[in-house]
């Protein structure tokens, strides 16, 4: 964007040193740094707002395409009203081996018990056994 060569930067620094003076130059650099930081913050905020608008527009476009694709699929595969489709649409209950629990009944599961591993003591080497 703004291209400042090192030689141009040195020229600007030398002119600032001559015009402002060595005594007030640090204060001037702090003020310039403050305003450059403010400008960068405004630019970052503007860029984020622009990116958010683009992202929202892309999401809306994708939602429209998904809705059109969904409508196309639903038109290709219409839902029939005969008894077979109703039976096929019902969820199949899991087989209970005891045959006692209802399909919608809640299943109780024990909370696992976590225990520390037993300490492992290596067996003594046969050559080091006391005699």
């Amino acid at each position: 964007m703004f291209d400042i060569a090192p030689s141009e930067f040195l020229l600007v620094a030398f002119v600032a040193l001559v015009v402002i003076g060595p005594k007030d130059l640090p204060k001037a650099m702090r003020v310039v740094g403050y305003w450059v930081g403010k400008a960068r913050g405004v630019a970052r905020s503007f860029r984020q707002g622009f990116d958010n608008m683009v992202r929202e527009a892309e999401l809306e476009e994708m939602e429209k395409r998904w809705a059109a694709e969904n409508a196309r699929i639903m038109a290709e595969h219409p839902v029939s009203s005969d008894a077979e489709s109703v039976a096929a649409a019902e969820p199949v209950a899991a087989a209970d081996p005891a045959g006692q629990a209802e399909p919608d009944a809640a299943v109780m599961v024990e909370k696992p018990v976590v225990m520390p591993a037993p300490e492992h003591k290596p067996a003594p080497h046969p050559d080091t056994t006391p005699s």
Side-chain angles (χ1 to χ4, degrees):
M1 194 160 120
F2 295 112
D3 188 25
I4 299 176
S7 60
E8 294 171 348
F9 184 71
L10 286 173
L11 180 65
V12 169
F14 180 72
V15 170
L17 181 64
V18 170
V19 171
I20 297 174
K23 181 179 175 185
D24 295 328
L25 189 60
K27 183 178 178 183
M29 293 303 291
R30 278 195 298 273
V31 170
V32 168
Y34 173 79
W35 285 107
V36 167
K38 283 277 199 184
R40 283 185 178 178
V42 168
R44 182 176 38 248
S45 174
F46 176 76
R47 183 178 295 145
Q48 285 177 348
F50 185 76
D51 288 345
N52 286 341
M53 288 186 342
V54 169
R55 190 176 303 118
E56 288 175 7
E58 288 174 351
L59 285 174
E60 288 176 7
E61 180 182 330
M62 288 173 56
E63 286 176 355
K64 288 178 184 176
R65 281 192 281 161
W66 290 338
E69 183 68 15
N70 189 24
R72 182 189 65 78
I73 292 172
M74 293 302 287
E76 287 179 4
H77 307 286
V79 177
S80 59
S81 62
D82 60 345
E84 285 181 20
S85 64
V86 172
E90 292 179 3
V92 178
D96 184 20
Q100 298 172 355
E102 294 181 19
D104 295 336
V107 178
M108 295 292 290
V109 178
E110 286 185 27
K111 183 177 179 182
V113 178
V114 180
M115 298 173 55
E119 290 186 27
H120 177 70
K121 295 182 181 177
H125 195 276
D127 293 339
T128 61
T129 55
S131 15

